[in-house]
Amino acid sequence: LSIELLEPVSGSDAVVQIVSMDGQLLYSNKVGMANRIALNTQSWASGLYFVKYISNTADYTMPFVKQ
């Protein structure tokens, strides 16, 4: 899974999280100045997951399907 942030990160408090359908937090990390994050999802079960981006100025949630 490759996540690309289209907007510049406005501060070091920005966090990217991956959450499963049942609410289990699978990944959480501060973004810092990175604009791209690569994750190995090979061991994850097929299904629907959510990418959350949380910062002082924005809060986005986007679904993705792992096949």
Side-chain angles (χ1 to χ4, degrees):
L1 173 66
S2 181
I3 301 168
E4 185 172 351
L5 304 174
L6 299 178
E7 297 179 12
V9 177
S10 59
S12 62
D13 294 342
V15 175
V16 170
Q17 297 179 336
I18 308 293
V19 180
S20 65
M21 272 294 287
D22 61 2
Q24 181 182 6
L25 181 63
L26 301 173
Y27 174 85
S28 181
N29 204 359
K30 285 189 177 182
V31 177
M33 296 305 292
N35 66 345
R36 179 172 286 171
I37 299 166
L39 297 173
N40 183 351
T41 62
Q42 187 174 4
S43 64
W44 298 1
S46 297
L48 182 63
Y49 295 86
F50 297 94
V51 176
K52 292 185 173 188
Y53 172 80
I54 305 161
S55 74
N56 294 335
T57 59
D59 187 357
Y60 301 106
T61 301
M62 177 167 264
F64 77 93
V65 175
K66 181 188 185 294
Q67 297 187 10

